[in-house]
Amino acid sequence: AESTRFLLTPQEWAAGLARDVLMRRRDGTDFAVEVGLNPVQTEDGPRVLAAVADVSERKQSEQRLRDAFEEKAVLLKEVYHRVKNNLQIVSSLISLQARNLPERAAREALARGEARIHSMALVHEQLYRSDNLATLNAAGYLDTLAHYLRSQFGGTAQLRVECDAVALGMDQAIPCGLIVTELVT
C-alpha cells in the first residue's frame, strides 16, 4: 500500500527511513532489505529510482544487542534484589542483637546503624522496582526513607520532605540517603 501510494504521488523515501522489507532468495530463504525510493523527473515523466540493500546482518546484530541488553537488565535486577535482601538480613541481625542489650545508649547506637543499612537497602529496592535500573527518583526515595525513619525513631518532631523529582544514580543516592539518615536520627 505504501509503495503503491508512492508510485501515484512520488515523494522521496530515503534509505534508512524506509520500512523493513523481506525478500526471498532463489533458494527460498527470506532476508531483510532496506529500500530507498527517490522520484526522478525525466522527459517521459516521473520515474522512481530504487536502491535495495541487504540489511540482514545488521538486523541480526541489532537483535543480539537487544538480547544482550535484556539479559543485562535481568542480571542487574537480580543483583539489586540480592544486595537488598542481604542488607535486610544484616539489619535484622542488628535489630535482634539490640533487643538483648540492657544499655539504652548501645540500643540507640545499633538502631542508628540499622537505619543506615536500611537507607542503603532502600536504594537497591527502588532501583530493583524501577524501569530505569540506573537512576531513582530522589523525591520518592527521600520521602520513603523519611517515613521509615519517623516510624523507627518516633518522637514529636514533624517531618516534611520537599524535594524535586531529581534522578539520582546509586553513587549519589546512597551518600544522600546516609546524610539524610544522620540528619533525621
Side-chain angles (χ1 to χ4, degrees):
E2 185 79 29
S3 59
T4 305
R5 187 170 352 121
F6 178 83
L7 294 173
L8 297 175
T9 57
Q11 301 169 17
E12 185 174 353
W13 188 13
L17 300 176
R19 290 183 177 74
D20 295 335
V21 178
L22 287 179
M23 305 227 20
R24 183 159 289 142
R25 292 185 180 96
R26 288 184 181 153
D27 65 3
T29 60
D30 291 338
F31 65 105
V33 296
E34 182 176 86
V35 179
L37 302 175
N38 290 300
V40 177
Q41 290 295 337
T42 67
E43 294 174 358
D44 298 328
R47 299 285 188 244
V48 177
L49 176 63
V52 179
D54 182 346
V55 293
S56 52
E57 284 185 32
R58 184 183 79 201
K59 293 293 179 186
Q60 291 169 354
S61 294
E62 289 171 355
Q63 185 60 46
R64 284 192 301 271
L65 283 173
R66 280 192 296 275
D67 293 345
F69 179 78
E70 181 64 30
E71 181 181 352
K72 180 181 175 184
V74 168
L75 291 173
L76 194 54
K77 278 192 163 216
E78 181 63 23
V79 167
Y80 286 149
H81 185 66
R82 287 180 184 216
V83 169
K84 175 193 66 99
N85 284 347
N86 288 338
L87 288 170
Q88 286 178 334
I89 289 170
V90 171
S91 179
S92 295
L93 291 172
I94 290 173
S95 178
L96 286 171
Q97 188 66 38
R99 289 181 193 166
N100 297 325
L101 293 175
E103 300 87 21
R104 182 173 184 225
R107 284 194 310 274
E108 288 175 356
L110 285 178
R112 285 191 302 276
E114 184 182 352
R116 291 179 193 114
I117 292 169
H118 182 80
S119 74
M120 291 185 287
L122 186 58
V123 168
H124 289 278
E125 179 181 352
Q126 290 202 349
L127 287 171
Y128 170 74
R129 294 177 187 271
S130 171
D131 290 333
N132 179 350
L133 298 175
T135 62
L136 57 84
N137 178 336
Y141 167 66
L142 293 176
D143 189 57
T144 303
L145 178 60
H147 282 88
Y148 164 79
L149 295 171
R150 176 81 164 99
S151 71
Q152 288 301 106
F153 292 94
T156 59
Q158 293 296 315
L159 188 60
R160 185 177 76 212
V161 176
E162 291 183 18
C163 179
D164 292 336
V166 177
L168 292 178
M170 185 171 34
D171 292 344
Q172 298 166 314
I174 288 177
C176 180
L178 290 170
I179 290 168
V180 169
T181 300
E182 291 303 312
L183 291 171
V184 172
T185 59

